[in-house]
Amino acid sequence: MELHDLIDGLPDGAVVTDPDLLASYRQDWARDPDAGTPLAVVRATGTDDVAATLRWAHERRIPVVPRGAGSGLSGGATAVDGGLVLSTERMRAIAIDPVTRTAVVQPGLLNAEVKRAVAEHGLWYPPDPSSFEICSIGGNAATNAGGLCCVKYGVTTDYVLGMEVVLADGTVLRLGGPRLKDSAGLSLTKLFVGSEGTLGIITELTLRLLPAQPPQSTVVATFASLSAAVDAILAITGELRPSMLEFMDSVSINAVEDELRMGLDREAAALLVARSDAPGEFARREAEIMVAACEKAGAAEVFHTEDPEEGEAFTAARRFAIPAVQKLGTLLLEDVGVPLPRLGDLVTGVAAIAERNDVMVSVIAHAGDGNTHPLIVHDPDDAAMTERAHRAFGEIMDLAIALGGTITGEHGVGRLKKAWLPDQLGADVMALTHRIKDALDPNGILNPGAIL
Amino acid sequence: MELHDLIDGLPDGAVVTDPDLLASYRQDWARDPDAGTPLAVVRATGTDDVAATLRWAHERRIPVVPRGAGSGLSGGATAVDGGLVLSTERMRAIAIDPVTRTAVVQPGLLNAEVKRAVAEHGLWYPPDPSSFEICSIGGNAATNAGGLCCVKYGVTTDYVLGMEVVLADGTVLRLGGPRLKDSAGLSLTKLFVGSEGTLGIITELTLRLLPAQPPQSTVVATFASLSAAVDAILAITGELRPSMLEFMDSVSINAVEDELRMGLDREAAALLVARSDAPGEFARREAEIMVAACEKAGAAEVFHTEDPEEGEAFTAARRFAIPAVQKLGTLLLEDVGVPLPRLGDLVTGVAAIAERNDVMVSVIAHAGDGNTHPLIVHDPDDAAMTERAHRAFGEIMDLAIALGGTITGEHGVGRLKKAWLPDQLGADVMALTHRIKDALDPNGILNPGAIL
C-alpha cells in the first residue's frame, strides 16, 4: 500500500495505524455494529494536513470519513473498511474579535470550549446541543446542530458567516467572512453547513456571536397528562418566545430522579422546563405569563424561580435525561421533528408505536420547536426485542414524515437514517442532492455511505 | 418560432409579445443600456406556468430571465436578446400560520405586502430593504436582500425555512418547511437563496416570522467630521445591538433637506440615525447609552425621541436619501461592505476615489453592519464624466475587496458587478460555482449572464 506516501507528507505522528488505537476511531456514539476498520487515522494538525490527505486519497479513490469529537448519534463518522478517518481533534485554535462580534475557530474545539472562550469577552455563542461539553464545533457545523436555545436563537447555520473548507481533491477554499451581509455569489457557506462531510471538510469557521445572554427566569411545571403539557407548550409559544422550552415524559422524569434525587414528581406524566432571558424584569414578566399558561392548561404543579443556578439545575436535569434513561437499557436515539401544531399527534403516535412493538420509548423534546428525541430502550442481547426496537425506530420516522415533519432535526442523517431520507425528501430532491454530490466529489471519496 | 407551443400551454394572456409591453420588461432599476429584447414575457399565474415555461425553454435552450418587481439594482433581471422574461408579479398568494409563526408566500408579493399581512396577526417579517414598498419577496430571496434592521435581525436567508423551486428542466421541488430545525439532507433551501435565478425559479417561500417589533427609541446625531461619526458607530455597536444604525454624509443630508425641509443640519459632515427596540424602558436605556456614545465621540448635536412617529420620520428621511441624491444626477449605486473595523478606511477611501476621478460620491450606509451605498452622481450625456463615474464604481469595489469586504452586501451581483466577483472570491471558488451551476442547469438557460 502507498500509505508511506501519506505518512511522509504529514507531520510525525499524524498518521495512526496501531490497531488498538484504530479501533477507537471505528464508531461514533451511534455505535454502528457494522462499522468498518480503517486503513489509518489521520489526526490533522492544520489545513495543510487535511489538504494533503485529501489529495492523496482523491488520486487513489480511497474513502475519507471526517470525524470531530465522535459524539455523533447518526453514524456520520462511522469508519469505512479500507478508508481513512480524518480526525480534526488536534485543530483547536480560536481567535475572537469583539468589535465584529465574531470568532474564527478550528473545527476540533469543543462547543463548550468555544462558549467559554467567547464568554471571556462578554460574548455568547448560542447553539447548545445537550452534548455541548463533548461535541466539536466542526461536528456541529457538519450536522447543522441545534440544542435547547434554538427555539429562540436558531441553529448552527444561523451563526456560520464563513469558513475554510477543503474539497475532495484537496483544493482549499475560503467562503464568506466576518460580514453579516454578503450577497456576492452563491451561498456556498450555507451549503457546506449540514453536509455531514460529504461535500468537503471544514477546517475553519467564522462564527457570529451575540452579547452575553441575560440571566434567565425559569418555570418548571408538571402535568398529569401528555395532552395538558402539549396545550401548555402551544399556549406559551403563542404568547412569547421562550429562551428554552423543554419536555420530559414520565419515564425520563423517573430515570433522572433515580440518579439525581432532586425531588421531581414521580407521578407526573410530563414535565416542562421553560425559561425567559428577556432583559431585566421582563424575564420575570415572561415567566409569569408562562406560569399562567401552564396553570390554565391544568398543570399539577408549577414552580418559578429567578435564581439562575436553580434554573440551571433543572436544565441540567433535562440534559441528563439521555444518560439517565440509558441506565434502563441500550438506546436507539430518535431526533424527529414536526411543525409545532402536530406535536401532540407525534407524542401520542410514538406511544402507540411503543405499545404496538412492545418496547419502552421515553420521549424528551425541545418542545418549543417541535423537535423530539424518542429514546427506544432495548436489550441488545435480546434479538427479538432489538428487532422490535429497530422496527419502532423506523415507524417513528414514518410517523414524523406523515405529519409533515423531519427524520432529523439536529443530529443529521449519517448512515443510521439514510434509508428514510428519500421518503422525506422525495425522488427529485434526492436526484438533485446526487447531482451536487457528484459535481463536488466526482470520485465519491468524501464520507461515502453518509446521507446518500 | 415555436412560441405558439408555449402560448398554447399557458393560460390566456400569460404570454406577452406586444413590443411596447415587452419594452417595459427589458430593464430593472440598474437600467442596463445593453439590455436585450426578449422574445416574450411570461406572466406566470402559478407554479404550473413556471414549470411549463421552463420545460419549453429547456428543450429549446432558450434563456429565461426571472423577474420579480424589477427593482433590482445590479441588473439581475436585465432581459436577454431572444430569451424569455419570466415575471412572477401575478403570483401573490399568502397563508399565515400564527402557531408556527410562519407564512407561506408566493414570490410576486411585495415585501411591504408581506409585512402588512403578517402584522394583522401581530407578527413581523424583519428584512426591510429601503425599497420595501416596491420590491418583491421573491426578488428578496433571489438576492438574499438585507435592509436597515439586519444589524440586529439578520438578512433574508435567516428567515427562509423552506421553498418550492422549479429547476431548469421544469422539475418542481419542495425544500424545507415550517420547522426551525431540519438536518435532513443538504441545505438546499439556503443554496437557492441568493442564487439570483441562476439555479432555479422560486415559486413559493416558507418564511419564519417574529412577534411584532416593540416600539423603538430613536437617536439622531450629527458630526462635524466623518471620523467622529465612525467612532460613534464603533462605540455603539461595541456596547449593544441597535435595531438600526444608519449613516448619511453631507451630500445626502443636504439632498434630503432640499426635498423634505425637516430641519436637518446642513453643516454636518455626517448624520447617524440609531434605534433600539429593547422591551419597555430598556429601549430608552439603550438610547441613552447611544446618546452618550455619540457625545463622547464628539457629536455636534444629539437628539433623542421616544415617539415612534418622530423616529420613523428620521428613518424615512434616511430611506429617502437615494431618491433625493438622484435629483443631483444619474446614480451608479454601490453596495460594498467591509468588516466593521474597516468602515472608516472605506469611507475615507471612497472620498479619495471621488476626488481622484473628479466625480461626486455621496455615501449612505447601514453603518452598523459595515454595508455602505456610495452613490456615484454623474450626467449620462457627459461621456467623459460617465467614464470617470464607471471607473470610480470599479475602484470602490477594488477598495472593498482590499479591505477584506464584499462587492455586494445585499443587492446581488447581477450583470453589473460580475466582472469583479472573481477578484473577491478567487478562481477556486468561481470554479466551484461553475460546477454547481453546470450540475443544476446543464443547458445554461437560467438567467445567463447573471453572476457568472
Side-chain angles (χ1 to χ4, degrees), chain A residues 48-102:
Chain A
D48 289 349
D49 295 356
V50 177
T53 302
L54 285 174
R55 279 195 302 271
W56 182 89
H58 182 72
E59 279 173 22
R60 293 161 181 79
R61 300 186 179 233
I62 290 175
V64 178
V65 174
R67 180 184 177 98
S71 62
L73 292 161
S74 298
T78 304
V80 171
D81 276 329
L84 299 178
V85 170
L86 192 146
S87 168
T88 58
E89 69 199 286
R90 293 184 172 179
M91 296 175 65
R92 296 174 43 77
I94 180 165
I96 298 157
D97 179 6
V99 178
T100 56
R101 284 204 192 94
T102 54

Side-chain angles (χ1 to χ4, degrees), chain A residues 124 152-153 212-218 240-244 275-290 306, chain B residues 214 277-280 282 285-286:
Chain A
W124 178 38
K152 182 166 182 178
Y153 289 98
Q213 187 177 30
Q216 299 182 77
S217 286
T218 306
L240 51 85
R241 299 175 73 212
S243 53
M244 178 187 299
R275 304 184 85 177
S276 167
D277 66 355
E281 63 271 31
F282 285 85
R284 183 179 46 74
R285 287 193 212 168
E286 287 198 345
E288 285 165 1
I289 292 169
M290 295 195 285
E306 297 298 305
Chain B
D277 65 356
F282 284 85
R285 286 192 214 169
E286 288 198 344

Side-chain angles (χ1 to χ4, degrees), chain B residues 6-16 25 41-54 67 85-94 105-109 164 166 201-204:
Chain B
L6 180 66
I7 294 169
D8 291 348
L10 292 173
D12 281 354
V15 181
V16 174
Y25 287 90
V41 175
V42 175
R43 295 192 289 203
T45 63
T47 304
D48 288 349
D49 294 357
V50 177
T53 302
L54 285 175
R67 181 185 176 96
V85 171
L86 192 146
S87 168
T88 58
E89 70 199 287
R90 292 184 172 178
M91 296 175 64
R92 296 174 44 76
I94 182 166
V105 306
Q106 285 189 313
L109 274 183
E164 182 186 72
V166 185
I201 298 182
I202 297 169
T203 49
E204 188 186 282

Side-chain angles (χ1 to χ4, degrees), chain A residues 218-220 244-247 271-275 311 314-315 318:
Chain A
T218 306
V219 175
V220 182
M244 178 187 299
L245 182 47
E246 294 290 315
F247 169 96
L271 180 148
L272 297 184
V273 184
R275 304 184 85 177
F314 284 101
T315 306
R318 158 58 191 87

